[in-house]
Amino acid sequence: LGDVYKRQLLYRIEFYTALINKHLGKEEKVQNILASAKKFKINILPIDINKSNWNFKIEDIQTKSIRAGFSLLKGFGYNAFQEINRVKAEKGEIVSVQDFLNRGIDWGCLNKKNMKSLVSIGAFDSFNKNRRQVYEIYKEHLENKRGKKSKHNISQLMLDVFKKELQEKLEEKSLPNVEDWEFKEKVKLEKQFLGFNLWTNLFEPVE
């Protein structure tokens, strides 16, 4: 009986994963499929910078979990996904927001809108649940890089090369002191970048 149940469970999760991937890009259709999956107690895990692929994938049979893919994000191109994959392939799993930003990302592929969507739907929540702070860290990083590009002296370049580790530690200690976005703002942003609300409810959870 146990083996039969496991086979049925695997089939159901495989069925929903394939069905979602087949209809990606059809917002209303995907929304209905996800709602149907939830009725069978299938967990739709949020997009994660380390764990997500382009498409949806089965993450854990025991917990009936499917991991959402980057393709669910509106306006998030495949080039942006490839750039994330490139930096992970070169240096391994991302361990922090600062680590991600300091990996020599091509910001032409992964633009500001892409980053706003990733932060807004919680792709960096495993490192820092304060999404507004994560977005401010990203903006400060871009401003610092623009400032460095305007300098052409050798001493600045030497500082970049030989004090990289110290710089990263200082960045971690000097995080922007900002409160997270309010729950209503998170709901609004999720709907903006997904087209519907999947992980935020209509009502703020009681703490």
Side-chain angles (χ1 to χ4, degrees), residues 19-153:
L19 194 62
I20 293 166
N21 287 331
K22 179 181 178 181
H23 293 286
L24 282 170
K26 301 173 184 175
E27 189 178 300
E28 188 175 347
K29 185 74 174 178
V30 169
Q31 192 174 358
N32 290 335
I33 296 168
L34 292 171
S36 176
K38 285 186 174 183
K39 289 180 181 178
F40 287 104
K41 308 297 182 185
I42 294 174
N43 300 307
I44 308 298
L45 303 177
I47 296 167
D48 181 273
I49 198 68
N50 277 316
K51 297 177 181 178
S52 289
N53 290 338
W54 176 245
N55 287 330
F56 281 58
K57 68 174 184 177
I58 297 173
E59 179 147 318
D60 193 296
I61 297 295
Q62 298 299 321
T63 59
K64 298 196 289 186
S65 300
I66 298 172
R67 176 70 65 178
F70 291 100
S71 55
L72 185 65
L73 289 168
K74 296 177 73 173
F76 193 89
Y78 193 70
N79 284 345
F81 167 70
Q82 286 183 312
E83 182 61 13
I84 293 170
N85 265 4
R86 181 187 67 79
V87 298
K88 288 194 292 185
E90 289 178 358
K91 298 185 179 179
E93 188 171 284
I94 296 156
V95 298
S96 70
V97 177
Q98 289 82 4
D99 171 47
F100 177 71
L101 296 174
N102 288 321
R103 288 195 177 195
I105 293 167
D106 181 348
W107 297 113
C109 294
L110 194 65
N111 60 37
K112 193 171 183 179
K113 184 181 178 182
N114 294 152
M115 280 299 295
K116 182 70 178 285
S117 66
L118 288 174
V119 174
S120 298
I121 52 83
F124 297 95
D125 278 9
S126 58
F127 309 131
N128 186 342
K129 293 188 183 299
N130 185 334
R131 296 178 184 179
R132 184 183 172 198
Q133 187 180 67
V134 171
Y135 192 60
E136 291 300 321
I137 292 169
Y138 157 70
K139 289 198 297 183
E140 285 186 6
H141 178 82
L142 285 192
E143 289 172 6
N144 290 337
K145 283 192 73 67
R146 279 196 290 268
K148 286 175 184 177
K149 282 182 180 179
S150 66
K151 297 177 181 179
H152 299 283
N153 58 74

